[in-house]
Structures are given as structure tokens and as C-alpha cells.
């Protein structure tokens, strides 16, 4: 079966991380976000991957090339982000049989994708406590009978997990009218398939939609936690690695460092001397964690530097960020309430008691900068020495 992977999104909610890197290419453990989707499709036996690309498409094409893990990859260019059905419709020419549709910014359980392919026509569903923010599926006798978007009174707690296996005929049904929010939605295609075929629900325990910065952190928590201990880089005899710690070839861990997994130290990265890094953390390619620095549950993108005497917790640092000595991130509010974060101009709850900061590419902090919980620093922002930053900038 061909798998269409949607990766044309601009990722406006995850800015500033997506300002230069398209969201599907943001790092999740040892590979870009969309590679987890493509890998799940390949593992499930996809015989071709069709990537729908748009925003910053070159980076996606460069990564996957024309073959990925021995499976042919082709590209469909969506010039206008007019919705998920519109995205699949752009790939229409590539489709000639039953096909799967997966979101390039979702993390799926690979076993569920395999079951999805086998059960075509089928849709993945995940049980959630409060499904009101999702597409909700109704089922009878093991068949999906209906899908309702964001219902006030959900008929079940089965949320649509954004993975579909469609019959060949669905190729003719992709041109659906725009929904109320002005997008051509793949769920309207699903509704038609439900009307004409017996669609099997594949329930999955674990699934994630990565839309906002803290979800990228959570995606890393999940995927870093699945990696197994492997030490191919250089580790001092006077360093301590506990649990699932991966030190890639070309990475260096100096003396006096304590690393508590799950932690991934990518090629070219250096840690220490005398640093404390604890899970779930990803220290990206060529990133640096220096003397007396503590990094907890964070993602440092490639080239990010936290040189000395600093604390970084529950945070995402973009590429080539540089934190001056004594930069301290606060990741917990005094009142213990969930940390809030600004998404597209609106302050929203992250649902996390602990969340630090999101720093776009090339952010530089002056020495002794204090950063408060839920802070967003835009690409290239600088802070002065000794500043306490309480507002996004
Ligand atoms: P969304 O998460 O709805 O959109 P997005 O990725 O652009 O993010 P944001 O809302 O923050 O701007 O998209 C869901 C998936 O579908 C995602 O993998 C991107 C993809 N997509 C397309 O490929 N084309 C489209 O026109 C749309 C709307 C989404």
C-alpha cells in the first residue's frame, strides 16, 4: 500500500521553532518528527511513500531523498495550505490503489499502523478522557458508523488519531467542499468512506499530535524513552552514565559528568567537565553543555551551547542558541498551576506543572539572565547581563 504522509504544514503554533525549520523536520530524539511517521509506514510494509510538502519543502526532500530505507519516495507539492483533503488531493496522480494517509507531525504506535494497513479500510482511534477537542468516532459491532468534529456531547471517547487506510475508490472523493473553518478536511473524505464501506477502528494506546512547543518536548520524552543504551562516543572514565544513555560516535562526555537516562548525546556534542544531564534529554548534534551546567528534560537543538554555571529544565532550545554563564531557567510556578504559554498571540495552559522556556534559533542570553516559566524568545533575541525576563520577546 502507498502511504501519503502530510508534511506541508507551516507549523504556526510551534513558532519560533518552525521559523526556519519546517515542523516535520524538528528534532524528536534521533530523527526528525516526520521520520517517525515515515518509519512507521515503512515498518508496516508501505511500498511507496508519497510526501506532501509545501513550506520549506527542500529540507524535507533533502532528508528523505528518492529512496528511504529502500522504499521509493515521491513528492507532491502543495502550494496553498488549504487543508488535509486538499493536501492528499495534490498527491492524487501518485495514487493507483488502496492508500494510507498519515500526518507527518503525529507520533503513532508502529504496531497500530501495521494493523491499519492490514485492516483497510480502517482508521486509528485513541481513547481519551475528554474527546471534545477531537473528531469523535462512533462504532457498532466493530465498524465505524460516524465521525463528528469537536462535539459538545461526544457519543464515545474514541478520538480520531489521524491515520487512515482508504480503498482505491476514495481517490475520487478527495475533492470535498471547504468546512466551516475554510479548509478541505480529510475527515470529510473519511465520512464518505464510512458511508460506503465497512471501516474498522484500530484502537491505539499511544498517539501524539505535535502542534505546540511543549508537545515537541513531550514527543522527545516519549521517543528518547524508547532508545536503548549505546556508547559509541568518547566517555571519560570519571563520568557516570546511568540508565539508557546513548552517546553517538563523535560525541564526548568529559570527567565529572553524571548523565541519567534516557538521554541522547548526538554526534559532535560535548558535555562537561562536571555537568549533570538528566532525562529525558536530547543534546543535539554539535551542541555543548559545559562546566557546572545542569540540563533536565530538555531538547538542545544542533549547535546550541550552554557553556557554564547554568540551569536548563523542561525547555526547548533552537539551533545555535547560546546561553551565557549563570543563565537560569525557572520551570515551576510558585502557585503550582500549569505553566502557560503564548500560542498565536493567546495565552494557553500547557497542562504541565513544569515547563521552562522555548528559545528560537540563535537566541543569546547575557550572563546571569533569569528566565521565567513559559517564556518564548523569538529567533535571534538577545538579553542583557543580569536581566530577569518575564515577558516574551
Ligand atoms: P495542522 O497541524 O493542522 O497544521 P500545521 O502543521 O500547519 O500547524 P499549525 O496549525 O501550527 O500552523 O496539520 C495537520 C497535518 O496536516 C500536518 O502534518 C500538516 C498537514 N497539512 C498539510 O500537509 N497541508 C495542509 O493544507 C494542512 C492544513 C495540513
Amino acid at each position: 500500500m502507498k502511504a501519503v504522509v502530510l508534511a506541508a504544514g507551516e507549523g504556526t503554533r510551534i513558532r519560533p521553532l518552525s521559523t526556519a525549520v519546517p515542523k516535520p523536520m524538528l528534532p524528536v530524539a534521533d530523527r526528525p518528527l516526520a521520520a517517525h511517521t515515515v518509519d512507521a509506514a515503512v515498518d508496516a510494509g508501505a511500498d511507496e511513500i508519497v510526501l506532501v510538502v509545501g513550506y520549506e519543502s527542500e529540507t524535507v526532500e533533502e532528508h528523505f531523498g528518492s529512496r528511504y530505507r529502500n522504499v521509493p519516495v515521491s513528492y507532491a507539492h502543495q502550494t496553498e495550505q488549504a487543508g488535509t483533503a486538499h493536501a492528499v488531493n495534490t498527491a492524487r496522480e501518485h495514487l493507483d490503489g488502496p492508500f494510507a494517509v498519515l500526518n507527518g507531525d503525529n507520533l503513532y504506535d508502529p504496531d497500530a499502523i501495521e494493523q491499519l494497513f492490514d485492516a483497510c479500510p480502517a482508521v486509528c482511534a485513541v481513547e481519551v478522557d475528554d474527546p471534545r477537542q477531537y473528531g469523535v468516532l462512533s462504532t457498532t459491532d466493530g465498524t465505524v458508523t460516524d465521525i463528528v468534529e469537536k462535539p459538545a456531547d461526544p457519543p464515545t471517547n474514541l478520538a480520531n488519531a489521524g491515520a487512515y487506510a482508504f480503498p482505491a475508490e476514495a481517490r475520487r472523493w478527495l475533492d470535498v467542499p471547504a468546512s466551516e473553518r475554510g479548509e478541505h478536511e480529510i475527515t470529510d473524505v473519511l465520512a464518505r468512506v464510512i458511508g460506503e464501506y465497512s471501516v474498522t477502528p484500530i484502537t491505539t494506546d499511544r498517539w501524539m499530535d505535535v502542534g505546540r512547543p511543549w508537545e515537541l518536548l513531550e514527543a522527545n520524552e516519549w521517543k528518547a524513552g524508547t532508545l536503548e543504551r549505546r556508547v559509541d562516543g568518547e566517555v571519560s572514565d570519571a563520568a557516570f552514565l546511568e540508565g539508557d544513555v546513548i552517546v553517538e560516535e563523535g560525541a564526548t562526555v568529559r570527567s565529572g559528568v553524571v548523565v541519567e537516562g534516557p538521554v541522547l548525546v548526538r554526534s559532535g556534542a560535548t558535555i562537561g567537565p562536571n555537568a549533570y544531564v538528566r532525562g529525558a534529554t536530547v543534546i543535539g548534534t554539535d551542541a555543548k553543555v559545559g562546566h557546572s551546567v545542569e540540563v533536565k528534560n530538555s531538547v538542545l537543538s544542533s549547535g546550541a551551547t550552554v557553556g557554564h554555571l547554568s540551569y536548563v529544565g523542561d525547555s526547548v532550545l533552537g539551533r545555535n542558541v547560546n546561553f551565557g554563564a549563570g543563565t537560569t531557567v525557572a520551570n515551576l510556578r510558585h502557585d503550582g498551576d500549569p505553566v502557560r504559554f503564548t500560542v498565536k498571540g493567546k495565552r494557553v495552559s500547557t497542562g504541565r506543572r513544569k515547563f521552562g522556556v522555548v528559545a528560537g534559533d540563535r537566541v543569546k542570553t547575557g550572563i546571569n539572565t533569569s528566565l521565567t516559566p513559559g517564556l518564548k524568545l523569538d529567533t535571534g533575541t538577545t538579553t542583557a547581563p543580569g536581566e530577569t525576563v518575564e515577558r516574551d520577546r
Side-chain angles (χ1 to χ4, degrees):
M1 168 152 20
K2 290 189 182 178
V4 180
V5 176
L6 307 185
E10 197 176 329
T12 47
R13 291 165 301 151
I14 209 163
R15 282 181 192 154
L17 300 169
S18 57
T19 306
V21 181
K23 184 170 77 173
M25 296 309 290
L26 289 173
V28 173
D30 59 349
R31 63 198 83 169
L33 174 57
H36 291 278
T37 308
V38 174
D39 280 326
V42 170
D43 290 340
D47 47 32
E48 184 178 333
I49 303 292
V50 184
L51 271 158
V52 180
V53 292
Y55 178 69
E56 300 278 351
S57 58
E58 315 74 44
T59 344
V60 183
E61 293 186 42
E62 226 167 80
H63 182 83
F64 292 99
S66 58
R67 283 192 93 75
Y68 179 81
R69 292 179 52 202
N70 234 6
V71 174
V73 180
S74 56
Y75 298 89
H77 293 88
Q78 189 192 21
T79 45
E80 181 201 359
Q81 248 198 287
T84 43
H86 180 266
V88 183
N89 207 11
T90 347
R92 213 162 158 258
E93 299 306 312
H94 300 255
L95 305 175
D96 49 12
F99 58 98
V101 176
L102 305 172
N103 284 332
D105 59 355
N106 284 189
L107 292 182
Y108 303 101
D109 173 359
D111 292 341
I113 301 304
E114 199 172 334
Q115 289 172 38
L116 177 83
F117 283 20
D118 290 345
C120 179
V123 56
C124 279
V126 62
E127 281 191 31
V128 294
D129 292 337
D130 182 2
R132 285 175 300 178
Q133 287 312 306
Y134 298 91
V136 178
L137 302 170
S138 299
T139 61
T140 309
D141 300 331
T143 298
V144 181
T145 51
D146 200 9
I147 174 158
V148 211
E149 278 308 312
K150 302 190 175 135
D153 187 12
T156 67
N157 59 352
L158 283 182
N160 172 15
Y164 316 89
F166 286 137
E169 204 184 356
R171 179 182 180 276
R172 296 198 283 114
W173 303 336
L174 296 170
D175 192 9
V176 289
S179 65
E180 262 175 35
R181 61 170 180 172
E183 290 188 11
H184 304 269
E185 323 259 3
I186 195 69
T187 43
D188 287 331
V189 179
L190 174 66
R192 174 95 191 251
V193 177
I194 290 170
E196 314 250 349
Y197 285 83
S198 167
V199 174
T200 306
I202 305 294
T203 42
T204 172
D205 291 339
R206 207 149 185 207
W207 165 78
M208 250 199 90
D209 180 19
V210 180
R212 299 163 298 182
W214 61 93
E215 288 159 349
L216 186 73
L217 191 62
E218 283 159 16
N220 275 279
E221 287 165 3
W222 173 1
K223 291 296 172 182
T226 63
L227 300 173
E228 282 174 17
R229 186 182 174 98
R230 179 164 54 83
V231 178
D232 295 331
E234 213 178 292
V235 177
S236 160
D237 289 343
F240 298 88
L241 309 185
E242 291 168 24
D244 285 319
V245 177
I246 296 91
V247 182
E248 290 185 349
E249 195 178 336
T252 308
V253 179
R254 301 211 169 98
S255 63
V257 170
V258 175
V259 186
E260 291 168 0
V263 169
L264 168 63
V265 188
R266 306 226 57 189
S267 166
T270 60
I271 305 184
N274 305 319
Y276 181 28
V277 178
R278 52 199 174 108
T281 287
V282 176
I283 308 293
T285 313
D286 300 323
K288 283 191 179 61
V289 173
H291 170 67
S292 290
V293 170
E294 179 176 353
V295 181
K296 178 227 151 193
N297 205 78
S298 293
V299 177
L300 271 58
S301 301
S302 59
T305 297
V306 185
H308 21 224
L309 304 160
S310 294
Y311 173 73
V312 178
D314 304 281
S315 296
V316 183
L317 274 48
R319 297 172 307 172
N320 301 314
V321 161
N322 194 322
F323 275 8
T327 296
T328 303
V329 170
N331 58 348
L332 176 69
R333 291 167 56 105
H334 280 315
D335 59 12
D337 275 0
V339 174
R340 291 190 264 278
F341 192 84
T342 308
V343 177
K344 291 177 105 171
K346 268 203 191 138
R347 211 68 188 147
V348 297
S349 171
T350 63
R352 293 178 66 100
R353 209 169 75 86
K354 292 203 172 170
F355 189 60
V357 303
V358 174
D361 290 359
R362 301 187 316 281
V363 162
K364 282 187 185 163
T365 61
I367 56 160
N368 295 327
T369 293
S370 299
L371 302 170
T372 49
L375 198 67
K376 173 160 61 175
L377 300 171
D378 207 351
T379 311
T381 302
T382 57
T383 72
E387 267 197 87
T388 296
V389 186
E390 294 180 65
R391 295 263 179 276
D392 291 354
R393 51 170 79 171

